[in-house]
C-alpha cells in the first residue's frame, strides 16, 4: 500500500472510530463497526492497526496534537512583551475561538478518560500520553510567562490543572443543560481573565 493511500485509509478509520466513540462509546465501537462506518474490510483495519486500543491511542495523540498546535498558534499570533497581560488574554480568546467546542469532541474526550479508568493496562498508556500533553501545555505557558516577564502565584502545573478543569466543567454543564451541538463557553471566557490575573504577578 502506498504511503498516501495508507494515510488516507488511516484517516478514514480514525474518523469512523471518532464518530462511533461519540455515538455509542468505545465499548460499542467494535472493529467491525469501525470498518463498516469507514467502508473498509477487517483486513484493511489490521493492516494499519494491531488492535482497537492502538487506534484509540492514535486518535488521542491526534487530538493532543491539535490542542498543542492551536495553543502555540494563539500565543505566536497575540503574545507581545510590551502589552503584558492584555496580550495573554487576547491569546486565550484566540485559542478558545479556534478550539473545538462541539459535542462530538467533548464526548470523545470523555470516552478516553472512561476507557483509561476502566482498564489498568490502557490507563497506564493513556496516562503517559496525557502526561505528555500536560507537559506541552505547561511548556507553552512557561514560555509565555518568560516573554511577559511574569511568574505565577501557584506552581505552574497546578495552574494548568485549574484552567483545564474549569474548561471541562463549563463544557460539561453546557451539554447537560442544552441539546445544542456546540457548547456555550461564555462562562469560561468571563472567568478566564480573573483566573489569569489571580495567578500572575511581576517577576
Amino acid at each position: 500500500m502506498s504511503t498516501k493511500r495508507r494515510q488516507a485509509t488511516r484517516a478514514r478509520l480514525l474518523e469512523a472510530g471518532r464518530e462511533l466513540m461519540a455515538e455509542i462509546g468505545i465499548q460499542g465501537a467494535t472493529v467491525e463497526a469501525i470498518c463498516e462506518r469507514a467502508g473498509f474490510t477487517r483486513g484493511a483495519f489490521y493492516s494499519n492497526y494491531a488492535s482497537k486500543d492502538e487506534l484509540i491511542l492514535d486518535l488521542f495523540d491526534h487530538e493532543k496534537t491539535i490542542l498543542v498546535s492551536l495553543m502555540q498558534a494563539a500565543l505566536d499570533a497575540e503574545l507581545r512583551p510590551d502589552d503584558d497581560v492584555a496580550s495573554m488574554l487576547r491569546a486565550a480568546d484566540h485559542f478558545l475561538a479556534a478550539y473545538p467546542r462541539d459535542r462530538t469532541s467533548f464526548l470523545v474526550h470523555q470516552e478516553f478518560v472512561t476507557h483509561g479508568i476502566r482498564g489498568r493496562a490502557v490507563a497506564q498508556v493513556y496516562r503517559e500520553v496525557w502526561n505528555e500533553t500536560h507537559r506541552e501545555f505547561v511548556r507553552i505557558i512557561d514560555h509565555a510567562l518568560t516573554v511577559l516577564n511574569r511568574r505565577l502565584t501557584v506552581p505552574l502545573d497546578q495552574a494548568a490543572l485549574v484552567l483545564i478543569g474549569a474548561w471541562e466543567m463549563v463544557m460539561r454543564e453546557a451539554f447537560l443543560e442544552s441539546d445544542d451541538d456546540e457548547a456555550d463557553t461564555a462562562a469560561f471566557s468571563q472567568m478566564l481573565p480573573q483566573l489569569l490575573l489571580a495567578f500572575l504577578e511581576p517577576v
Side-chain angles (χ1 to χ4, degrees), residues 18 62-71 94-109 167-168 171 175 181-185:
R18 188 176 189 274
H62 178 71
E63 300 285 317
K64 177 208 72 174
T65 300
I66 292 173
L67 167 66
V68 172
S69 63
L70 288 176
M71 187 180 301
H94 184 126
F95 170 73
L96 292 176
Y99 190 70
R101 299 190 300 275
D102 60 286
R103 187 178 296 269
T104 295
S105 295
F106 182 73
L107 286 171
V108 167
H109 175 74
W167 170 260
E168 290 189 350
M171 292 282 285
F175 287 127
D181 288 332
E182 188 168 293
D184 180 356
T185 57

PDB file of all heavy atoms in Angstrom, residues 18 62-71 94-109 167-168 171 175 181-185:
ATOM      1  N   ARG A  18     -13.798   7.825  15.675  1.00  0.00           N
ATOM      2  CA  ARG A  18     -14.160   9.024  16.440  1.00  0.00           C
ATOM      3  C   ARG A  18     -15.667   9.211  16.472  1.00  0.00           C
ATOM      4  O   ARG A  18     -16.249   9.503  17.527  1.00  0.00           O
ATOM      5  CB  ARG A  18     -13.474  10.230  15.809  1.00  0.00           C
ATOM      6  CG  ARG A  18     -13.585  11.533  16.591  1.00  0.00           C
ATOM      7  CD  ARG A  18     -12.784  12.620  15.896  1.00  0.00           C
ATOM      8  NE  ARG A  18     -12.702  13.810  16.709  1.00  0.00           N
ATOM      9  CZ  ARG A  18     -13.612  14.769  16.717  1.00  0.00           C
ATOM     10  NH1 ARG A  18     -14.689  14.655  15.942  1.00  0.00           N
ATOM     11  NH2 ARG A  18     -13.470  15.833  17.486  1.00  0.00           N
ATOM     12  N   HIS A  62      -3.642  12.308  18.054  1.00  0.00           N
ATOM     13  CA  HIS A  62      -4.075  13.283  17.036  1.00  0.00           C
ATOM     14  C   HIS A  62      -4.785  14.463  17.685  1.00  0.00           C
ATOM     15  O   HIS A  62      -4.507  15.629  17.361  1.00  0.00           O
ATOM     16  CB  HIS A  62      -4.994  12.588  16.039  1.00  0.00           C
ATOM     17  CG  HIS A  62      -5.543  13.489  14.983  1.00  0.00           C
ATOM     18  ND1 HIS A  62      -4.779  14.011  13.967  1.00  0.00           N
ATOM     19  CD2 HIS A  62      -6.803  13.974  14.781  1.00  0.00           C
ATOM     20  CE1 HIS A  62      -5.521  14.772  13.189  1.00  0.00           C
ATOM     21  NE2 HIS A  62      -6.759  14.770  13.667  1.00  0.00           N
ATOM     22  N   GLU A  63      -5.688  14.180  18.647  1.00  0.00           N
ATOM     23  CA  GLU A  63      -6.412  15.243  19.341  1.00  0.00           C
ATOM     24  C   GLU A  63      -5.441  16.096  20.148  1.00  0.00           C
ATOM     25  O   GLU A  63      -5.574  17.323  20.219  1.00  0.00           O
ATOM     26  CB  GLU A  63      -7.475  14.633  20.255  1.00  0.00           C
ATOM     27  CG  GLU A  63      -8.524  13.790  19.551  1.00  0.00           C
ATOM     28  CD  GLU A  63      -9.549  14.621  18.801  1.00  0.00           C
ATOM     29  OE1 GLU A  63     -10.004  15.634  19.352  1.00  0.00           O
ATOM     30  OE2 GLU A  63      -9.896  14.256  17.660  1.00  0.00           O
ATOM     31  N   LYS A  64      -4.460  15.457  20.775  1.00  0.00           N
ATOM     32  CA  LYS A  64      -3.462  16.185  21.560  1.00  0.00           C
ATOM     33  C   LYS A  64      -2.663  17.134  20.671  1.00  0.00           C
ATOM     34  O   LYS A  64      -2.407  18.286  21.046  1.00  0.00           O
ATOM     35  CB  LYS A  64      -2.508  15.185  22.217  1.00  0.00           C
ATOM     36  CG  LYS A  64      -1.377  15.836  23.017  1.00  0.00           C
ATOM     37  CD  LYS A  64      -0.148  14.960  23.069  1.00  0.00           C
ATOM     38  CE  LYS A  64       0.563  14.914  21.741  1.00  0.00           C
ATOM     39  NZ  LYS A  64       1.849  14.193  21.781  1.00  0.00           N
ATOM     40  N   THR A  65      -2.286  16.663  19.491  1.00  0.00           N
ATOM     41  CA  THR A  65      -1.507  17.493  18.572  1.00  0.00           C
ATOM     42  C   THR A  65      -2.289  18.735  18.161  1.00  0.00           C
ATOM     43  O   THR A  65      -1.723  19.833  18.068  1.00  0.00           O
ATOM     44  CB  THR A  65      -1.130  16.674  17.325  1.00  0.00           C
ATOM     45  OG1 THR A  65      -0.341  15.545  17.727  1.00  0.00           O
ATOM     46  CG2 THR A  65      -0.332  17.513  16.338  1.00  0.00           C
ATOM     47  N   ILE A  66      -3.589  18.584  17.929  1.00  0.00           N
ATOM     48  CA  ILE A  66      -4.433  19.724  17.583  1.00  0.00           C
ATOM     49  C   ILE A  66      -4.459  20.732  18.721  1.00  0.00           C
ATOM     50  O   ILE A  66      -4.298  21.943  18.513  1.00  0.00           O
ATOM     51  CB  ILE A  66      -5.862  19.256  17.243  1.00  0.00           C
ATOM     52  CG1 ILE A  66      -5.876  18.455  15.942  1.00  0.00           C
ATOM     53  CG2 ILE A  66      -6.820  20.452  17.141  1.00  0.00           C
ATOM     54  CD1 ILE A  66      -7.208  17.827  15.614  1.00  0.00           C
ATOM     55  N   LEU A  67      -4.653  20.238  19.951  1.00  0.00           N
ATOM     56  CA  LEU A  67      -4.691  21.116  21.124  1.00  0.00           C
ATOM     57  C   LEU A  67      -3.411  21.930  21.252  1.00  0.00           C
ATOM     58  O   LEU A  67      -3.445  23.160  21.399  1.00  0.00           O
ATOM     59  CB  LEU A  67      -4.904  20.270  22.383  1.00  0.00           C
ATOM     60  CG  LEU A  67      -4.658  20.970  23.733  1.00  0.00           C
ATOM     61  CD1 LEU A  67      -5.686  22.069  23.957  1.00  0.00           C
ATOM     62  CD2 LEU A  67      -4.689  19.970  24.876  1.00  0.00           C
ATOM     63  N   VAL A  68      -2.276  21.260  21.188  1.00  0.00           N
ATOM     64  CA  VAL A  68      -0.989  21.929  21.365  1.00  0.00           C
ATOM     65  C   VAL A  68      -0.724  22.914  20.235  1.00  0.00           C
ATOM     66  O   VAL A  68      -0.264  24.045  20.478  1.00  0.00           O
ATOM     67  CB  VAL A  68       0.148  20.891  21.464  1.00  0.00           C
ATOM     68  CG1 VAL A  68       1.511  21.578  21.447  1.00  0.00           C
ATOM     69  CG2 VAL A  68      -0.006  20.056  22.734  1.00  0.00           C
ATOM     70  N   SER A  69      -1.016  22.541  19.004  1.00  0.00           N
ATOM     71  CA  SER A  69      -0.742  23.428  17.873  1.00  0.00           C
ATOM     72  C   SER A  69      -1.627  24.673  17.912  1.00  0.00           C
ATOM     73  O   SER A  69      -1.165  25.778  17.585  1.00  0.00           O
ATOM     74  CB  SER A  69      -0.929  22.683  16.548  1.00  0.00           C
ATOM     75  OG  SER A  69      -2.275  22.268  16.386  1.00  0.00           O
ATOM     76  N   LEU A  70      -2.885  24.517  18.318  1.00  0.00           N
ATOM     77  CA  LEU A  70      -3.775  25.673  18.424  1.00  0.00           C
ATOM     78  C   LEU A  70      -3.310  26.630  19.516  1.00  0.00           C
ATOM     79  O   LEU A  70      -3.359  27.858  19.354  1.00  0.00           O
ATOM     80  CB  LEU A  70      -5.207  25.221  18.709  1.00  0.00           C
ATOM     81  CG  LEU A  70      -5.964  24.554  17.554  1.00  0.00           C
ATOM     82  CD1 LEU A  70      -7.325  24.066  18.026  1.00  0.00           C
ATOM     83  CD2 LEU A  70      -6.140  25.528  16.392  1.00  0.00           C
ATOM     84  N   MET A  71      -2.867  26.072  20.629  1.00  0.00           N
ATOM     85  CA  MET A  71      -2.381  26.914  21.720  1.00  0.00           C
ATOM     86  C   MET A  71      -1.124  27.670  21.324  1.00  0.00           C
ATOM     87  O   MET A  71      -0.994  28.872  21.577  1.00  0.00           O
ATOM     88  CB  MET A  71      -2.100  26.050  22.947  1.00  0.00           C
ATOM     89  CG  MET A  71      -1.742  26.844  24.194  1.00  0.00           C
ATOM     90  SD  MET A  71      -1.434  25.751  25.591  1.00  0.00           S
ATOM     91  CE  MET A  71      -3.005  24.901  25.677  1.00  0.00           C
ATOM     92  N   HIS A  94      -8.119  33.956  21.333  1.00  0.00           N
ATOM     93  CA  HIS A  94      -7.748  33.400  20.026  1.00  0.00           C
ATOM     94  C   HIS A  94      -7.839  31.869  20.079  1.00  0.00           C
ATOM     95  O   HIS A  94      -8.403  31.230  19.178  1.00  0.00           O
ATOM     96  CB  HIS A  94      -6.318  33.846  19.700  1.00  0.00           C
ATOM     97  CG  HIS A  94      -5.831  33.435  18.348  1.00  0.00           C
ATOM     98  ND1 HIS A  94      -5.317  34.330  17.437  1.00  0.00           N
ATOM     99  CD2 HIS A  94      -5.748  32.222  17.747  1.00  0.00           C
ATOM    100  CE1 HIS A  94      -4.962  33.694  16.335  1.00  0.00           C
ATOM    101  NE2 HIS A  94      -5.197  32.400  16.513  1.00  0.00           N
ATOM    102  N   PHE A  95      -7.279  31.287  21.132  1.00  0.00           N
ATOM    103  CA  PHE A  95      -7.290  29.836  21.289  1.00  0.00           C
ATOM    104  C   PHE A  95      -8.711  29.298  21.447  1.00  0.00           C
ATOM    105  O   PHE A  95      -9.099  28.326  20.796  1.00  0.00           O
ATOM    106  CB  PHE A  95      -6.450  29.450  22.501  1.00  0.00           C
ATOM    107  CG  PHE A  95      -6.576  28.002  22.889  1.00  0.00           C
ATOM    108  CD1 PHE A  95      -5.985  27.013  22.125  1.00  0.00           C
ATOM    109  CD2 PHE A  95      -7.290  27.633  24.012  1.00  0.00           C
ATOM    110  CE1 PHE A  95      -6.102  25.669  22.473  1.00  0.00           C
ATOM    111  CE2 PHE A  95      -7.417  26.301  24.370  1.00  0.00           C
ATOM    112  CZ  PHE A  95      -6.819  25.318  23.601  1.00  0.00           C
ATOM    113  N   LEU A  96      -9.505  29.952  22.304  1.00  0.00           N
ATOM    114  CA  LEU A  96     -10.869  29.480  22.560  1.00  0.00           C
ATOM    115  C   LEU A  96     -11.740  29.575  21.310  1.00  0.00           C
ATOM    116  O   LEU A  96     -12.631  28.747  21.111  1.00  0.00           O
ATOM    117  CB  LEU A  96     -11.494  30.287  23.692  1.00  0.00           C
ATOM    118  CG  LEU A  96     -10.878  30.064  25.084  1.00  0.00           C
ATOM    119  CD1 LEU A  96     -11.518  30.994  26.099  1.00  0.00           C
ATOM    120  CD2 LEU A  96     -11.033  28.610  25.513  1.00  0.00           C
ATOM    121  N   ALA A  97     -11.480  30.587  20.481  1.00  0.00           N
ATOM    122  CA  ALA A  97     -12.258  30.737  19.247  1.00  0.00           C
ATOM    123  C   ALA A  97     -11.960  29.602  18.269  1.00  0.00           C
ATOM    124  O   ALA A  97     -12.824  29.210  17.476  1.00  0.00           O
ATOM    125  CB  ALA A  97     -11.956  32.080  18.598  1.00  0.00           C
ATOM    126  N   ALA A  98     -10.732  29.068  18.321  1.00  0.00           N
ATOM    127  CA  ALA A  98     -10.327  28.030  17.365  1.00  0.00           C
ATOM    128  C   ALA A  98     -10.540  26.616  17.899  1.00  0.00           C
ATOM    129  O   ALA A  98     -10.740  25.682  17.112  1.00  0.00           O
ATOM    130  CB  ALA A  98      -8.847  28.207  17.006  1.00  0.00           C
ATOM    131  N   TYR A  99     -10.515  26.440  19.226  1.00  0.00           N
ATOM    132  CA  TYR A  99     -10.578  25.085  19.786  1.00  0.00           C
ATOM    133  C   TYR A  99     -11.986  24.509  19.659  1.00  0.00           C
ATOM    134  O   TYR A  99     -12.970  25.200  19.917  1.00  0.00           O
ATOM    135  CB  TYR A  99     -10.149  25.096  21.253  1.00  0.00           C
ATOM    136  CG  TYR A  99      -9.961  23.704  21.813  1.00  0.00           C
ATOM    137  CD1 TYR A  99      -8.895  22.914  21.385  1.00  0.00           C
ATOM    138  CD2 TYR A  99     -10.847  23.173  22.737  1.00  0.00           C
ATOM    139  CE1 TYR A  99      -8.715  21.638  21.872  1.00  0.00           C
ATOM    140  CE2 TYR A  99     -10.671  21.894  23.231  1.00  0.00           C
ATOM    141  CZ  TYR A  99      -9.607  21.128  22.799  1.00  0.00           C
ATOM    142  OH  TYR A  99      -9.433  19.855  23.277  1.00  0.00           O
ATOM    143  N   PRO A 100     -12.102  23.228  19.267  1.00  0.00           N
ATOM    144  CA  PRO A 100     -13.430  22.618  19.075  1.00  0.00           C
ATOM    145  C   PRO A 100     -14.286  22.662  20.345  1.00  0.00           C
ATOM    146  O   PRO A 100     -13.831  22.287  21.421  1.00  0.00           O
ATOM    147  CB  PRO A 100     -13.095  21.167  18.699  1.00  0.00           C
ATOM    148  CG  PRO A 100     -11.721  21.224  18.133  1.00  0.00           C
ATOM    149  CD  PRO A 100     -11.022  22.300  18.912  1.00  0.00           C
ATOM    150  N   ARG A 101     -15.528  23.115  20.179  1.00  0.00           N
ATOM    151  CA  ARG A 101     -16.475  23.154  21.304  1.00  0.00           C
ATOM    152  C   ARG A 101     -17.684  22.272  20.998  1.00  0.00           C
ATOM    153  O   ARG A 101     -18.721  22.384  21.650  1.00  0.00           O
ATOM    154  CB  ARG A 101     -16.946  24.599  21.553  1.00  0.00           C
ATOM    155  CG  ARG A 101     -15.841  25.555  21.908  1.00  0.00           C
ATOM    156  CD  ARG A 101     -16.392  26.892  22.383  1.00  0.00           C
ATOM    157  NE  ARG A 101     -17.210  27.546  21.387  1.00  0.00           N
ATOM    158  CZ  ARG A 101     -16.743  28.322  20.416  1.00  0.00           C
ATOM    159  NH1 ARG A 101     -15.441  28.538  20.329  1.00  0.00           N
ATOM    160  NH2 ARG A 101     -17.546  28.886  19.547  1.00  0.00           N
ATOM    161  N   ASP A 102     -17.542  21.399  20.010  1.00  0.00           N
ATOM    162  CA  ASP A 102     -18.685  20.588  19.598  1.00  0.00           C
ATOM    163  C   ASP A 102     -18.882  19.387  20.526  1.00  0.00           C
ATOM    164  O   ASP A 102     -17.953  18.942  21.211  1.00  0.00           O
ATOM    165  CB  ASP A 102     -18.497  20.113  18.158  1.00  0.00           C
ATOM    166  CG  ASP A 102     -17.240  19.275  18.003  1.00  0.00           C
ATOM    167  OD1 ASP A 102     -16.138  19.855  18.031  1.00  0.00           O
ATOM    168  OD2 ASP A 102     -17.354  18.052  17.881  1.00  0.00           O
ATOM    169  N   ARG A 103     -20.083  18.872  20.510  1.00  0.00           N
ATOM    170  CA  ARG A 103     -20.457  17.755  21.382  1.00  0.00           C
ATOM    171  C   ARG A 103     -19.618  16.509  21.098  1.00  0.00           C
ATOM    172  O   ARG A 103     -19.211  15.797  22.021  1.00  0.00           O
ATOM    173  CB  ARG A 103     -21.949  17.445  21.192  1.00  0.00           C
ATOM    174  CG  ARG A 103     -22.516  16.417  22.164  1.00  0.00           C
ATOM    175  CD  ARG A 103     -24.009  16.225  21.901  1.00  0.00           C
ATOM    176  NE  ARG A 103     -24.744  17.448  22.167  1.00  0.00           N
ATOM    177  CZ  ARG A 103     -25.276  17.748  23.358  1.00  0.00           C
ATOM    178  NH1 ARG A 103     -25.147  16.911  24.363  1.00  0.00           N
ATOM    179  NH2 ARG A 103     -25.933  18.884  23.523  1.00  0.00           N
ATOM    180  N   THR A 104     -19.366  16.234  19.820  1.00  0.00           N
ATOM    181  CA  THR A 104     -18.585  15.049  19.468  1.00  0.00           C
ATOM    182  C   THR A 104     -17.194  15.087  20.088  1.00  0.00           C
ATOM    183  O   THR A 104     -16.733  14.106  20.680  1.00  0.00           O
ATOM    184  CB  THR A 104     -18.472  14.909  17.939  1.00  0.00           C
ATOM    185  OG1 THR A 104     -19.764  14.677  17.393  1.00  0.00           O
ATOM    186  CG2 THR A 104     -17.553  13.745  17.562  1.00  0.00           C
ATOM    187  N   SER A 105     -16.512  16.216  19.982  1.00  0.00           N
ATOM    188  CA  SER A 105     -15.163  16.336  20.542  1.00  0.00           C
ATOM    189  C   SER A 105     -15.175  16.116  22.048  1.00  0.00           C
ATOM    190  O   SER A 105     -14.299  15.429  22.600  1.00  0.00           O
ATOM    191  CB  SER A 105     -14.576  17.718  20.228  1.00  0.00           C
ATOM    192  OG  SER A 105     -14.387  17.875  18.842  1.00  0.00           O
ATOM    193  N   PHE A 106     -16.174  16.684  22.726  1.00  0.00           N
ATOM    194  CA  PHE A 106     -16.254  16.531  24.177  1.00  0.00           C
ATOM    195  C   PHE A 106     -16.525  15.080  24.555  1.00  0.00           C
ATOM    196  O   PHE A 106     -15.897  14.536  25.468  1.00  0.00           O
ATOM    197  CB  PHE A 106     -17.349  17.438  24.735  1.00  0.00           C
ATOM    198  CG  PHE A 106     -17.463  17.371  26.238  1.00  0.00           C
ATOM    199  CD1 PHE A 106     -16.506  17.958  27.045  1.00  0.00           C
ATOM    200  CD2 PHE A 106     -18.513  16.697  26.838  1.00  0.00           C
ATOM    201  CE1 PHE A 106     -16.595  17.885  28.432  1.00  0.00           C
ATOM    202  CE2 PHE A 106     -18.622  16.620  28.218  1.00  0.00           C
ATOM    203  CZ  PHE A 106     -17.658  17.222  29.020  1.00  0.00           C
ATOM    204  N   LEU A 107     -17.458  14.428  23.846  1.00  0.00           N
ATOM    205  CA  LEU A 107     -17.786  13.036  24.148  1.00  0.00           C
ATOM    206  C   LEU A 107     -16.590  12.119  23.900  1.00  0.00           C
ATOM    207  O   LEU A 107     -16.340  11.188  24.682  1.00  0.00           O
ATOM    208  CB  LEU A 107     -18.971  12.584  23.304  1.00  0.00           C
ATOM    209  CG  LEU A 107     -20.335  13.135  23.726  1.00  0.00           C
ATOM    210  CD1 LEU A 107     -21.394  12.792  22.682  1.00  0.00           C
ATOM    211  CD2 LEU A 107     -20.741  12.588  25.091  1.00  0.00           C
ATOM    212  N   VAL A 108     -15.846  12.382  22.837  1.00  0.00           N
ATOM    213  CA  VAL A 108     -14.666  11.571  22.551  1.00  0.00           C
ATOM    214  C   VAL A 108     -13.649  11.702  23.677  1.00  0.00           C
ATOM    215  O   VAL A 108     -13.072  10.708  24.135  1.00  0.00           O
ATOM    216  CB  VAL A 108     -14.046  11.975  21.199  1.00  0.00           C
ATOM    217  CG1 VAL A 108     -12.657  11.374  21.026  1.00  0.00           C
ATOM    218  CG2 VAL A 108     -14.943  11.526  20.055  1.00  0.00           C
ATOM    219  N   HIS A 109     -13.443  12.925  24.152  1.00  0.00           N
ATOM    220  CA  HIS A 109     -12.500  13.134  25.260  1.00  0.00           C
ATOM    221  C   HIS A 109     -12.959  12.387  26.508  1.00  0.00           C
ATOM    222  O   HIS A 109     -12.150  11.751  27.197  1.00  0.00           O
ATOM    223  CB  HIS A 109     -12.379  14.630  25.563  1.00  0.00           C
ATOM    224  CG  HIS A 109     -11.516  14.919  26.759  1.00  0.00           C
ATOM    225  ND1 HIS A 109     -10.149  14.815  26.730  1.00  0.00           N
ATOM    226  CD2 HIS A 109     -11.842  15.277  28.028  1.00  0.00           C
ATOM    227  CE1 HIS A 109      -9.658  15.108  27.926  1.00  0.00           C
ATOM    228  NE2 HIS A 109     -10.668  15.389  28.719  1.00  0.00           N
ATOM    229  N   TRP A 167     -12.348  24.554  32.224  1.00  0.00           N
ATOM    230  CA  TRP A 167     -12.846  24.391  30.853  1.00  0.00           C
ATOM    231  C   TRP A 167     -13.742  23.160  30.744  1.00  0.00           C
ATOM    232  O   TRP A 167     -14.838  23.224  30.177  1.00  0.00           O
ATOM    233  CB  TRP A 167     -11.663  24.274  29.894  1.00  0.00           C
ATOM    234  CG  TRP A 167     -12.027  23.863  28.508  1.00  0.00           C
ATOM    235  CD1 TRP A 167     -11.927  22.622  27.953  1.00  0.00           C
ATOM    236  CD2 TRP A 167     -12.587  24.696  27.479  1.00  0.00           C
ATOM    237  NE1 TRP A 167     -12.365  22.626  26.647  1.00  0.00           N
ATOM    238  CE2 TRP A 167     -12.771  23.874  26.329  1.00  0.00           C
ATOM    239  CE3 TRP A 167     -12.922  26.049  27.409  1.00  0.00           C
ATOM    240  CZ2 TRP A 167     -13.290  24.380  25.142  1.00  0.00           C
ATOM    241  CZ3 TRP A 167     -13.439  26.547  26.211  1.00  0.00           C
ATOM    242  CH2 TRP A 167     -13.616  25.714  25.102  1.00  0.00           C
ATOM    243  N   GLU A 168     -13.295  22.049  31.298  1.00  0.00           N
ATOM    244  CA  GLU A 168     -14.075  20.814  31.201  1.00  0.00           C
ATOM    245  C   GLU A 168     -15.410  20.933  31.938  1.00  0.00           C
ATOM    246  O   GLU A 168     -16.435  20.412  31.470  1.00  0.00           O
ATOM    247  CB  GLU A 168     -13.267  19.633  31.748  1.00  0.00           C
ATOM    248  CG  GLU A 168     -12.092  19.259  30.851  1.00  0.00           C
ATOM    249  CD  GLU A 168     -11.433  17.966  31.266  1.00  0.00           C
ATOM    250  OE1 GLU A 168     -11.762  17.440  32.356  1.00  0.00           O
ATOM    251  OE2 GLU A 168     -10.572  17.479  30.514  1.00  0.00           O
ATOM    252  N   MET A 171     -17.799  23.013  29.812  1.00  0.00           N
ATOM    253  CA  MET A 171     -18.280  22.206  28.687  1.00  0.00           C
ATOM    254  C   MET A 171     -19.326  21.200  29.152  1.00  0.00           C
ATOM    255  O   MET A 171     -20.379  21.026  28.524  1.00  0.00           O
ATOM    256  CB  MET A 171     -17.106  21.470  28.036  1.00  0.00           C
ATOM    257  CG  MET A 171     -16.119  22.368  27.314  1.00  0.00           C
ATOM    258  SD  MET A 171     -16.726  22.905  25.688  1.00  0.00           S
ATOM    259  CE  MET A 171     -16.516  21.397  24.747  1.00  0.00           C
ATOM    260  N   PHE A 175     -23.404  21.054  27.936  1.00  0.00           N
ATOM    261  CA  PHE A 175     -24.053  19.951  27.227  1.00  0.00           C
ATOM    262  C   PHE A 175     -25.122  19.261  28.069  1.00  0.00           C
ATOM    263  O   PHE A 175     -26.042  18.658  27.518  1.00  0.00           O
ATOM    264  CB  PHE A 175     -23.006  18.946  26.746  1.00  0.00           C
ATOM    265  CG  PHE A 175     -22.194  19.449  25.585  1.00  0.00           C
ATOM    266  CD1 PHE A 175     -20.806  19.442  25.625  1.00  0.00           C
ATOM    267  CD2 PHE A 175     -22.812  19.944  24.450  1.00  0.00           C
ATOM    268  CE1 PHE A 175     -20.051  19.911  24.550  1.00  0.00           C
ATOM    269  CE2 PHE A 175     -22.074  20.414  23.371  1.00  0.00           C
ATOM    270  CZ  PHE A 175     -20.697  20.402  23.429  1.00  0.00           C
ATOM    271  N   ASP A 181     -25.409  21.378  19.495  1.00  0.00           N
ATOM    272  CA  ASP A 181     -24.228  20.622  19.086  1.00  0.00           C
ATOM    273  C   ASP A 181     -22.932  21.313  19.507  1.00  0.00           C
ATOM    274  O   ASP A 181     -21.883  20.679  19.565  1.00  0.00           O
ATOM    275  CB  ASP A 181     -24.223  20.425  17.567  1.00  0.00           C
ATOM    276  CG  ASP A 181     -25.282  19.424  17.122  1.00  0.00           C
ATOM    277  OD1 ASP A 181     -25.624  18.544  17.931  1.00  0.00           O
ATOM    278  OD2 ASP A 181     -25.774  19.537  15.980  1.00  0.00           O
ATOM    279  N   GLU A 182     -23.011  22.620  19.782  1.00  0.00           N
ATOM    280  CA  GLU A 182     -21.824  23.368  20.196  1.00  0.00           C
ATOM    281  C   GLU A 182     -22.063  23.991  21.564  1.00  0.00           C
ATOM    282  O   GLU A 182     -23.120  24.571  21.816  1.00  0.00           O
ATOM    283  CB  GLU A 182     -21.475  24.440  19.173  1.00  0.00           C
ATOM    284  CG  GLU A 182     -20.140  25.137  19.453  1.00  0.00           C
ATOM    285  CD  GLU A 182     -19.661  25.973  18.290  1.00  0.00           C
ATOM    286  OE1 GLU A 182     -19.334  25.384  17.242  1.00  0.00           O
ATOM    287  OE2 GLU A 182     -19.628  27.203  18.417  1.00  0.00           O
ATOM    288  N   ALA A 183     -21.080  23.864  22.445  1.00  0.00           N
ATOM    289  CA  ALA A 183     -21.224  24.352  23.812  1.00  0.00           C
ATOM    290  C   ALA A 183     -21.106  25.866  23.875  1.00  0.00           C
ATOM    291  O   ALA A 183     -20.307  26.478  23.155  1.00  0.00           O
ATOM    292  CB  ALA A 183     -20.166  23.725  24.712  1.00  0.00           C
ATOM    293  N   ASP A 184     -21.898  26.466  24.747  1.00  0.00           N
ATOM    294  CA  ASP A 184     -21.781  27.887  25.043  1.00  0.00           C
ATOM    295  C   ASP A 184     -20.723  28.030  26.139  1.00  0.00           C
ATOM    296  O   ASP A 184     -20.942  27.653  27.286  1.00  0.00           O
ATOM    297  CB  ASP A 184     -23.125  28.428  25.537  1.00  0.00           C
ATOM    298  CG  ASP A 184     -23.072  29.917  25.858  1.00  0.00           C
ATOM    299  OD1 ASP A 184     -21.970  30.508  25.764  1.00  0.00           O
ATOM    300  OD2 ASP A 184     -24.117  30.484  26.223  1.00  0.00           O
ATOM    301  N   THR A 185     -19.560  28.551  25.765  1.00  0.00           N
ATOM    302  CA  THR A 185     -18.450  28.659  26.718  1.00  0.00           C
ATOM    303  C   THR A 185     -18.254  30.092  27.207  1.00  0.00           C
ATOM    304  O   THR A 185     -17.166  30.463  27.643  1.00  0.00           O
ATOM    305  CB  THR A 185     -17.148  28.143  26.081  1.00  0.00           C
ATOM    306  OG1 THR A 185     -16.885  28.873  24.869  1.00  0.00           O
ATOM    307  CG2 THR A 185     -17.243  26.666  25.765  1.00  0.00           C
TER     308      THR A 185
END
